[in-house]
Amino acid sequence: MSLNYKGQNLFIENTSIKSIVRKNNTPFYLYSYKKIKDNFENFYNYFKKVSPLVCFSVKSNSNVSILTELRKLGSGADVVSEGELLKALRAKINPKKIVFSGVGKTDSELRLAIKKRVLLINVESESEALLINKISKKMNRVTSIGIRLNPNVDANTLSKISTGKLDSKFGLLSKNFLRFCKSSKNLKNIKINAISVHIGSQITSIAPYKRTLNAIRKIIKLSKTNFDYVDLGGGFGIQYKNKDKKIDIKNYSNLVQKFQKETNCKIIFEPGRYIVGNTGSLVSRIVFIKKNGKKYFIILDAGMNDFMRPALYNAKHEIVSVSKSKKRIAGNIEFVGPICESTDTFLKYKNFSFLKEGEYVAITNVGAYGSTLSSNYNTRPLASEIIIKKGKIKVIRKRQKISEII
Ligand code: LLP
């Protein structure tokens, strides 16, 4: 997490959260630039020996200022829509460092990617490849594509974020992959440059990655195709709580090194959560506190529209108070949002630092799939986003105006 206490007060690096809420209305996302930089460099260093291209997965956090900072650190982008592609380009990420994934890319999305000459369009069906060939022919281009393999590997993660199994909608199963490699030989306006995979998200064990590398080895051998790139996707899990299992990336990097020596392909990664997950918090004000039955409800001004993961995946994100009290409240305590749904709830505690209406709390580790999953449900404007960089407080997205959504 990017927050720490100094005495009773919560800080992000050396800036107190109190000083930020004084000038900015809640709820807002609050990021630490230093943490983003450390995570990116740390990730790159694990794999330094294979000099990978790291394409940050924009779906995890698509704030253009954050993308710009990542670009300055050397990152490319993994995008899945026209909007994400335009954001990556706005952040001045070189198209030669952009890969375009997704199962249902439309004509106009493909046209834009082809026109911008992105490094790879990672194709997920034979129909998509035919369409890319057709559009490229009209535009008089040869487009570089990757084919996404469905390696039929169980990522041992939440079923809702698992993507590499036989019955999932992603990629081509090996039989179809091989058939396509053969039949595509007469498609003159595409060039198969890569194999791509992505087996799921919040993965904490290396075993599924190992099985995936083996599946790729097999396909390379059987397809008798020379691939310039192998795009190994993302999925690296983080510790949401201290006791959560830590993924052994060092171990994985050894496997990747060996794999690269054998295959001689250039390696691409698409990490999202690992780079930004623990860099952000959602700061929120306590609107009311009430007791129903035996439970204290702490009603926040942030709701499931601002931060969806608990409602959608039953994800647990720790909540901390901006000013800790020496007094505690014991009993059933539940932090909830203002939305008219019972799933609009964040976390339950049995014991918490004493809280009052009007005080502030922070929901932690929301840097990935936080802001990007938010919505206008209940006609609520999107929250603002703030980053702390070298002691400076910078608003990197203003709160949406209600007039924009009416
Ligand atoms: N590449 C592809 C093709 C992907 O589909 C994804 C994530 C990534 C890379 C990045 O995965 P990461 O390194 O962040 O795990 N909303 C869910 C996560 C969905 C992930 C979807 N795909 C959540 O909040 O847990």
Side-chain angles (χ1 to χ4, degrees):
M1 134 166 112
S2 56
L3 307 172
N4 60 289
Y5 279 103
K6 293 190 186 180
Q8 300 297 100
N9 292 318
L10 194 64
F11 277 70
I12 176 163
E13 295 168 22
N14 291 316
T15 307
S16 77
I17 310 290
K18 260 190 184 162
S19 71
I20 307 175
V21 293
R22 230 174 270 138
K23 291 191 195 120
N24 296 278
N25 288 332
T26 52
F28 56 80
Y29 278 89
L30 178 63
Y31 305 100
S32 153
Y33 166 76
K34 184 175 181 306
K35 197 100 185 162
I36 295 173
K37 181 171 181 280
D38 288 350
N39 288 348
F40 184 84
E41 289 176 348
N42 177 1
F43 182 85
Y44 186 85
N45 286 334
Y46 274 121
F47 295 102
K48 209 158 136 189
K49 288 209 175 120
V50 299
S51 310
L53 171 62
V54 179
C55 292
F56 173 68
S57 191
V58 174
K59 67 171 77 66
S60 66
N61 192 309
S62 64
N63 186 291
V64 175
S65 300
I66 291 181
L67 298 179
T68 304
E69 297 294 3
L70 284 166
R71 185 254 301 157
K72 290 185 194 156
L73 296 169
S75 186
D78 154 47
V79 301
V80 291
S81 68
E82 189 169 347
E84 284 191 359
L85 175 54
L86 290 171
K87 278 191 169 187
L89 294 170
R90 176 73 68 88
K92 297 201 170 63
I93 294 178
N94 185 334
K96 283 286 157 264
K97 285 186 167 181
I98 297 179
V99 296
F100 194 170
S101 318
V103 286
K105 308 177 196 80
T106 62
D107 282 39
S108 77
E109 289 180 315
L110 289 171
R111 261 199 306 275
L112 179 68
I114 294 167
K115 185 170 151 219
K116 297 292 176 189
R117 299 179 201 269
V118 298
L119 177 65
L120 291 172
I121 300 179
N122 284 335
V123 171
E124 304 221 17
S125 62
E126 297 171 64
S127 312
E128 184 188 346
L130 294 175
L131 180 58
I132 296 174
N133 189 63
K134 190 170 136 200
I135 299 173
S136 303
K137 193 169 178 189
K138 267 198 203 142
M139 292 167 75
N140 207 10
R141 294 271 168 93
V142 177
T143 300
S144 158
I145 67 163
I147 309 177
R148 178 160 173 184
L149 171 71
N150 176 331
N152 191 15
V153 163
D154 188 343
N156 297 328
T157 179
L158 299 172
S159 65
K160 285 182 186 162
I161 51 178
S162 180
T163 52
K165 280 194 286 189
L166 194 68
D167 53 358
S168 94
K169 70 177 175 182
F170 301 98
L172 289 176
L173 290 168
S174 58
K175 196 174 88 205
N176 302 340
F177 188 109
L178 293 169
R179 187 183 64 205
F180 179 70
C181 280
K182 258 196 202 149
S183 67
S184 65
K185 296 250 155 45
N186 38 22
L187 300 174
K188 300 294 176 221
N189 294 80
I190 55 175
K191 178 169 185 316
I192 302 177
N193 265 342
I195 296 191
S196 80
V197 285
H198 174 77
I199 53 172
S201 196
Q202 185 55 16
I203 298 170
T204 52
S205 128
I206 295 305
Y209 282 114
K210 198 171 173 181
R211 287 198 287 275
T212 304
L213 288 175
N214 286 336
I216 302 173
R217 279 188 178 99
K218 210 162 147 192
I219 281 282
I220 293 182
K221 214 165 168 192
L222 293 172
S223 67
K224 297 189 191 90
T225 306
N226 283 328
F227 298 97
D228 295 339
Y229 296 91
V230 172
D231 178 345
L232 293 171
F236 310 94
I238 62 167
Q239 289 176 291
Y240 281 101
K241 283 197 224 89
N242 286 340
K243 64 174 196 316
D244 285 352
K245 190 175 163 198
K246 209 171 172 180
I247 185 169
D248 185 357
I249 301 196
K250 182 82 202 85
N251 185 352
Y252 181 43
S253 76
N254 291 335
L255 300 177
V256 173
Q257 223 174 294
K258 186 162 165 259
F259 173 86
Q260 201 227 12
K261 272 202 188 121
E262 289 161 27
T263 57
N264 210 16
C265 297
K266 195 158 167 39
I267 303 292
I268 299 175
F269 290 110
E270 303 172 354
R273 190 189 318 262
Y274 191 85
I275 308 296
V276 289
N278 66 1
T279 69
S281 311
L282 179 59
V283 179
S284 176
R285 189 170 57 88
I286 299 169
V287 185
F288 299 119
I289 297 179
K290 74 176 194 184
K291 199 171 177 193
N292 261 359
K294 287 194 174 143
K295 202 188 267 179
Y296 289 101
F297 286 96
I298 316 289
I299 305 167
L300 304 180
D301 66 356
M304 65 189 272
N305 74 300
D306 299 298
F307 185 55
M308 184 73 162
R309 297 195 77 250
L312 197 55
Y313 311 112
N314 203 13
K316 309 257 184 289
H317 289 256
E318 294 289 339
I319 298 175
V320 288
S321 47
V322 165
S323 316
K324 242 193 319 193
S325 166
K326 291 205 172 107
K327 263 199 325 201
R328 315 263 324 158
I329 14 172
N332 294 317
I333 298 145
E334 184 168 351
F335 286 88
V336 298
I339 305 265
C340 311
E341 297 230 11
S342 299
T343 56
D344 183 31
T345 172
F346 293 114
L347 202 57
K348 293 178 186 148
Y349 284 90
K350 290 269 179 218
N351 190 302
F352 203 86
S353 168
F354 188 78
L355 295 165
K356 287 203 288 271
E357 292 177 353
E359 288 183 345
Y360 296 90
V361 294
I363 305 175
T364 60
N365 298 324
V366 300
Y369 308 105
S371 159
T372 51
L373 271 175
S374 60
S375 78
N376 288 127
Y377 188 39
N378 279 200
T379 313
R380 287 164 50 86
L382 298 181
S384 53
E385 293 184 284
I386 296 173
I387 198 166
I388 301 298
K389 184 178 176 186
K390 296 185 181 141
K392 290 219 166 68
I393 304 170
K394 198 173 148 201
V395 177
I396 53 175
R397 183 179 76 186
K398 283 195 190 135
R399 187 170 177 77
Q400 194 176 31
K401 290 199 186 81
I402 292 188
S403 58
E404 289 171 49
I405 48 175
I406 291 177

